[in-house]
Amino acid sequence: MTLEFTTTQATERVTDEQLAKIHEAPGFGRVFTDHMVSIDWTLEDGWKDARVEPYGPLAIDPAHAVLHYGQEIFEGLKAYRHEDGSVWLFRPEENGKRLQRSAVRMALPELPVEDFVEACKQLVRADEHWTPSGHEQSLYIRPFTFGNEVFLGVRAAHSARFMVIASPVGAYFADGVKPVRIWLSEHFNRAGKGGTGSAKTGGNYASSLAPTQEAFANGCSQVLFLSSLGDRHIEELGGMNLVLVKGDGTLVTPESDTILDGITRNSLFELAEHLGHRTEMRPVTIDEWQEGVESGEIVEAFACGTAAVITPISEIVSPDGSFGWPDQEPGEVTMKLRKALTDIQGGRAEDPFGWMVQVTEAKA
Ligand SMILES: *Cc1c(COP(=O)(O)O)cnc(C)c1O
């Protein structure tokens, strides 16, 4: 049985004038819409009390499990406004399924996928006018679940809450897509075998912050993590998957159970195959990448994820030196795939895969 949602309207709402200002320069994840979704869970009763309510602070008990043992998982997806005024989600069921996989690993309750998708739709509808219509703008949706039992014992919490909040976001690259330099972390790893690398959980991000500071200090904007086994296999960035492009158009992405299973990466691979590219998901070493750049076999590389879609990579930087394409414009395949995917998401191209899910009707 699917959950029934109740709605409590926010009394304080953004005015049209304020919203127009926000949409002029939304930034990323700083301003939140008027409402939020909450669904409570207890071991005894399961999921209950699904509701849309005014956005606002939570009362946190200092003994809540999440504050001490980090029992938390999250998702990220976007709502897009199409030219006719209708609003659509991109593959929300995939996010719902992944939240379930993360829940299993972090001993949190699994929300049924239908309820996950309905929760996202309810929030987008409640705050309908918050989805911007500008170029590459969208409404970023952040579902998450955390253990909120008041108990310091170390075991899975017997109560939890699922929530959805949303924030309008602008084009990630405001002045055109620019390739970024990536720091190769030699001392830190992101995930270990049997660890939580394939779960979308806050702890993975917490542990990536110190290496990211190291990246910033070295003039880079992101970190590339290698496998913790010392085999020099490349994994991913702190929050984005990695794809290499060969001269013959073949796309290569690392395969390992320590990597987050990215929906953007999987969609790009399906799209690339549809466009006639070969794709390979297999272990790749940093040496294969470097030698491939030097021999001319590997001609482009990019990072991908929901927030920025595709970010071209110009250089890999480490204490021992750097390699890449420091002076190159974004690669041809990189930009072609970026356009193909963002055109489907923005409703400017056919959606042969049935990825888009409509949330609101076209405006007359
Ligand atoms: C969310 C995330 C990604 C990208 O996943 P998408 O589904 O494409 O947004 C990649 N790596 C990590 C570590 C992530 O948390």
Side-chain angles (χ1 to χ4, degrees):
M1 213 191 70
T2 51
L3 294 165
E4 289 282 330
F5 286 75
T6 61
T7 299
T8 308
Q9 297 282 346
T11 48
E12 270 183 54
R13 284 170 169 246
V14 75
T15 65
D16 289 347
E17 234 166 51
Q18 287 167 330
L19 193 54
K21 254 223 176 86
I22 292 166
H23 283 168
E24 259 171 43
F28 181 84
R30 287 198 181 277
V31 186
F32 294 88
T33 66
D34 295 320
H35 295 87
M36 60 188 191
V37 166
S38 294
I39 310 177
D40 290 315
W41 176 89
T42 63
L43 189 58
E44 264 188 357
D45 303 336
W47 293 104
K48 61 181 178 189
D49 199 10
R51 58 204 187 272
V52 179
E53 56 193 350
Y55 184 93
L58 306 177
I60 301 253
D61 191 289
H64 268 171
V66 64
L67 296 179
H68 302 274
Y69 309 126
Q71 200 189 6
E72 188 265 1
I73 53 176
F74 68 97
E75 272 304 324
L77 66 161
K78 284 176 170 174
Y80 305 85
R81 191 177 295 284
H82 288 182
E83 205 182 334
D84 64 5
S86 57
V87 177
W88 301 68
L89 293 170
F90 180 71
R91 309 191 77 179
E93 299 90 354
E94 294 300 308
N95 295 91
K97 286 189 230 164
R98 189 170 64 190
L99 189 73
Q100 290 193 325
R101 296 197 295 274
S102 299
V104 169
R105 180 63 184 87
M106 302 306 289
L108 279 162
E110 291 168 75
L111 183 71
V113 172
E114 310 91 276
D115 296 320
F116 174 93
V117 174
E118 183 57 24
C120 295
K121 286 183 174 174
Q122 289 270 344
L123 184 59
V124 171
R125 286 196 195 110
D127 290 326
E128 204 272 305
H129 54 308
W130 277 87
T131 300
S133 57
H135 180 66
E136 286 205 12
Q137 291 191 332
S138 58
L139 187 69
Y140 183 79
I141 301 170
R142 168 55 61 86
F144 56 107
T145 307
F146 57 97
N148 64 358
E149 187 180 0
V150 179
F151 179 49
L152 291 184
V154 181
R155 59 150 169 72
H158 288 177
S159 65
R161 180 184 282 202
F162 167 81
M163 298 190 71
V164 190
I165 56 176
S167 169
V169 295
Y172 193 87
F173 295 100
D175 311 315
V177 176
K178 286 219 172 60
V180 299
R181 305 171 80 216
I182 305 288
W183 177 249
L184 179 64
S185 180
E186 301 225 306
H187 308 293
F188 296 109
N189 297 114
R190 177 181 167 276
K193 208 163 170 48
T196 59
S198 63
K200 207 168 174 75
T201 181
N204 291 341
Y205 280 71
S207 73
S208 77
L209 299 179
T212 302
Q213 284 179 323
E214 196 179 87
F216 291 165
N218 285 281
C220 296
S221 56
Q222 296 273 341
V223 183
L224 168 63
F225 291 101
L226 297 181
S227 146
S228 65
L229 298 175
D231 53 15
R232 300 185 56 79
H233 285 135
I234 55 176
E235 294 197 329
E236 60 171 320
L237 311 186
M240 283 190 272
N241 293 120
L242 190 66
V243 176
L244 310 181
V245 184
K246 291 188 168 180
D248 66 0
T250 303
L251 303 182
V252 184
T253 197
E255 177 166 60
S256 160
D257 55 8
T258 53
I259 296 175
L260 202 281
D261 189 16
I263 296 162
T264 311
R265 178 195 66 172
N266 295 347
S267 305
L268 285 168
F269 268 46
E270 274 187 62
L271 194 52
E273 281 167 20
H274 186 73
L275 296 172
H277 292 261
R278 279 175 14 108
T279 62
E280 298 174 4
M281 214 176 263
R282 60 168 172 84
V284 186
T285 65
I286 188 74
D287 308 298
E288 176 182 347
W289 185 357
Q290 178 160 11
E291 284 156 21
V293 171
E294 282 157 10
S295 72
E297 196 189 348
I298 297 173
V299 293
E300 304 174 26
F302 61 83
C304 57
T306 295
V309 192
I310 283 186
T311 305
I313 294 172
S314 62
E315 258 186 305
I316 296 297
V317 183
S318 77
D320 309 326
S322 60
F323 67 90
W325 312 270
D327 306 316
Q328 197 168 296
E329 292 294 305
E332 190 188 318
V333 174
T334 300
M335 293 308 282
K336 179 182 82 175
L337 291 175
R338 190 174 197 284
K339 180 169 189 310
L341 185 58
T342 53
D343 279 353
I344 291 175
Q345 292 170 332
R348 292 177 299 275
E350 278 296 307
D351 170 20
F353 311 97
W355 284 338
M356 303 306 291
V357 172
Q358 188 164 10
V359 184
T360 71
E361 295 300 317
K363 298 219 170 115

